[in-house]
Amino acid sequence: MTETTTPQEQAFIPPAKPLIGDEEREAVDRVLRSGMLAQGPEVKAFEQEFAEHFGLGRACVAVNSGTSGLHLGLLAAGVGPGDEVIVPSFTFAATCNSVALTGATPVFADIDPESFCLDPAAVERVVTERTVGIMPVHLYGHPADMPGLQAVADKHGLKVFEDAAQAHGASLGGTPVGAFGQFAMFSLYPTKNMTSGEGGMVSAADGETERLLRLYRNQGMEQQYHNEVVGLNNRMTDIHAAIGRVQLTKVDGWTKQRQDNAAYLSANLEGVTAPPVADGAVHVYHQYTVRVPEDRDGLAKALKEEYAVGSGMFYPVPNHQLKPFAGNTSDADLPETMRAAAECLSLPVHPSLSQGDLERIVNAVNALAKAGA
Ligand SMILES: *Cc1c(COP(=O)(O)O)cnc(C)c1O
């Protein structure tokens, strides 16, 4: 910062920034020139490269969005009307929408206050005779407690699915997220850790789940005009896959940068609670989320207006309060969800931050937190 520049005159630091380079542009151009735009060889290669890159040890199926991926995964798992699937309320609405779109009911369980992910003990409290599955979210890029959730699932004969929309490359005890559940979905939306424009990648634990995912993705047919089930058109295009394939070659560097940025923030921020990392967990910092116990909204406003620092709230309105799900659960049953919704603030952590940006974020938060105290 020079002496003549006030903080608010400096360039706004955005809370997220997709990184698209010449390689992505060239890849798209290659597909456009080929004349084959819909699902084809690029999608097939992307599926294989994605599974290999993240060490999933299982097949992947590419779809047109993360939300489609969750929906198809649930259909492939046989989830439907009359069933209940336990999900967090503290997540993006897509998690709950995908359950509801199958005709099943999303049942909300509370989160662990450290990881912001489903708390296995809270999950066990809401199991009923209609429960068929548990769908944790690896929120902000931190893995959910998969061994704890698997133990509850085993005890009650439930399936486990993963919403890994925000967690490309995260792991727990050396196992990558996306290798735990019957299926797992990674989102490729532009603000996620890597993108294909819009898109989703679904990993499948077994051949039958993979086959059903491919059927539901494509009108219910594996072989043309031999439709086996009622399916959708949720295919990914080769244009999108070409972007995703390039991003796959860059994502590890970006993740390292996110982790370095997070380490700097955690070492230097004062007056807010930095995000903890569980034993054995690799956090990929889709978001760097702090708790601001007092006046979170005021801090966010002052960061933007006085310091030109962007931030995000994920999620100020928990899903059980949204109109389609209101009535499923009460606030009193989800105390940690309610507290997180009121306190959480995500600071910029993305790989395009400069050292100067990081210093500005730290100086701004520390000054405001001190002023507020
Ligand atoms: C982004 C996101 C989704 C949905 O992914 P889309 O690709 O946007 O459809 C689902 N769950 C969570 C937790 C997400 O963050």
Side-chain angles (χ1 to χ4, degrees), residues 65-67 70 91-92 94-95 137 163 165-166 185 187-189 192 198-199 315:
S65 78
T67 308
L70 291 177
T91 179
F92 184 54
T95 314
V137 179
D163 181 337
Q166 306 182 354
M185 177 282 286
S187 169
L188 300 166
Y189 185 74
K192 302 295 158 82
E198 289 266 13
Y315 298 89

Side-chain angles (χ1 to χ4, degrees), residues 3-358:
E3 281 163 347
T4 51
T5 317
T6 61
Q8 61 269 48
E9 282 164 0
Q10 296 186 293
F12 179 67
I13 303 176
K17 190 173 175 193
L19 287 163
I20 298 291
D22 288 340
E23 300 86 349
E24 283 86 343
R25 276 186 280 274
E26 279 156 25
V28 168
D29 202 39
R30 183 181 72 231
V31 175
L32 293 178
R33 281 174 206 282
S34 80
M36 288 174 47
L37 310 184
Q39 183 184 299
E42 294 281 342
V43 169
K44 187 163 186 235
F46 186 30
E47 291 177 341
Q48 286 165 359
E49 288 162 7
F50 191 98
E52 256 165 54
H53 186 89
F54 293 112
L56 300 180
R58 42 161 85 182
C60 282
V61 177
V63 289
N64 61 346
S65 78
T67 308
S68 302
L70 291 177
H71 184 204
L72 299 196
L74 291 162
L75 291 175
V79 174
D83 294 337
E84 293 178 355
V85 176
I86 300 171
V87 292
S89 176
F90 193 59
T91 179
F92 184 54
T95 314
C96 316
N97 280 341
S98 64
V99 173
L101 283 170
T102 68
T105 303
V107 171
F108 300 114
D110 211 0
I111 52 167
D112 174 88
E114 300 266 304
S115 71
F116 301 109
C117 300
L118 273 182
D119 170 9
V123 166
E124 183 149 35
R125 284 197 291 276
V126 297
V127 172
T128 72
E129 67 280 1
R130 306 222 287 202
T131 310
V132 296
I134 308 171
M135 188 153 75
V137 179
H138 304 298
L139 201 72
Y140 306 141
H142 187 289
D145 177 1
M146 299 312 290
L149 293 167
Q150 190 62 54
V152 175
D154 291 345
K155 190 168 154 195
H156 297 277
L158 311 176
K159 293 172 176 174
V160 176
F161 317 126
E162 297 175 76
D163 181 337
Q166 306 182 354
H168 318 65
S171 63
L172 187 61
T175 301
V177 307
F180 289 98
Q182 178 171 347
F183 75 83
M185 177 282 286
F186 297 87
S187 169
L188 300 166
Y189 185 74
T191 57
K192 302 295 158 82
N193 288 26
M194 61 174 282
T195 186
S196 61
E198 289 266 13
M201 193 64 85
V202 189
S203 73
D206 54 75
E208 183 59 6
T209 302
E210 179 195 350
R211 195 180 85 85
L212 288 168
L213 283 166
R214 294 188 190 285
L215 283 181
Y216 283 114
R217 174 177 69 177
N218 186 34
Q219 312 287 3
M221 50 188 192
E222 200 164 52
Q223 211 191 323
Q224 209 169 19
Y225 309 128
H226 290 267
N227 302 49
E228 298 177 48
V229 294
V230 176
L232 297 108
N233 171 2
N234 283 349
R235 297 182 302 260
M236 178 181 276
T237 72
D238 263 19
I239 304 169
H240 293 87
I243 300 172
R245 291 180 71 194
V246 174
Q247 295 257 312
L248 212 44
T249 67
K250 303 179 176 179
V251 66
D252 288 357
W254 291 334
T255 298
K256 173 77 170 54
Q257 194 62 53
R258 285 176 182 276
Q259 290 164 336
D260 289 351
N261 292 348
Y264 179 85
L265 293 172
S266 291
N268 292 286
L269 286 173
E270 291 158 12
V272 296
T273 311
V277 181
D279 282 347
V282 171
H283 194 329
V284 295
Y285 296 99
H286 171 60
Q287 300 293 350
Y288 180 90
T289 304
V290 299
R291 281 184 187 270
V292 186
E294 267 163 46
D295 195 16
R296 181 265 323 262
D297 296 8
L299 179 63
K301 190 162 178 279
L303 278 174
K304 182 165 174 234
E305 290 175 4
E306 294 172 34
Y307 293 90
V309 171
S311 62
M313 292 172 199
F314 310 103
Y315 298 89
V317 184
N319 282 268
H320 73 279
Q321 293 184 336
L322 299 178
K323 193 175 164 207
F325 309 117
N328 286 26
T329 312
S330 74
D331 292 356
D333 291 329
L334 303 168
E336 290 299 342
T337 296
M338 295 305 295
R339 194 162 71 88
E343 294 182 354
C344 280
L345 188 68
S346 299
L347 300 172
V349 73
H350 53 84
S352 32
L353 295 175
S354 65
Q355 183 59 31
D357 291 338
L358 288 165

